[in-house]
Amino acid sequence: VQLQASGGGLVQAGDSLRLSCAASGRTVSIYYMGWFRQAPGNEREFVAAIKWRGGSTYYADSVKGRFTISRDNAENTLYLQMNSLKPEDTAVYYCGAGRGAYLNKDVYGWQSAYDYWGQGTQVTVSS
């Protein structure tokens, strides 16, 4: 599976941005996908995840109510709609995909649960 993230850019605080992640290859093996981000000097952190077939979603507390994760199964594309952006949202955003059928939803927040990663797209929010 190959993942290609896009949609990053420079915006002002309060603006919106939509990230996309196109999946190709053996996409039938994907069970869930997610977004992580990494700010300079920080570790990569979980942002949001979605089950590919059922559509259940999971969010980090820091983005709940502002970000929305969604997917288009027909187009094999993952999205992250980011509203009310804050300077602290500035980071490189990575999309990931996993194959495991986990019962514990906490797993979707673990980097180690993802088998494939995209190259990252930069999001910069100015104050």
Side-chain angles (χ1 to χ4, degrees), residues 1-5 21-24 27 30 33-34 76 95-98 115-120:
V1 174
Q2 294 79 45
L3 304 176
Q4 180 72 38
C21 177
S24 60
T27 57
I30 295 175
M33 292 188 72
N76 290 325
C95 58
D115 302 290
Y116 311 101
W117 290 96
Q119 84 289 1

Side-chain angles (χ1 to χ4, degrees), residues 5-7 13 23-24 27 37 43 49 61 64 82 84 90 96 101 122-123:
S6 62
S24 60
T27 57
R37 65 186 182 186
E43 295 186 353
D61 289 341
K64 278 181 183 177
M82 304 185 294
S84 303
T90 295
Q122 176 71 48
V123 172

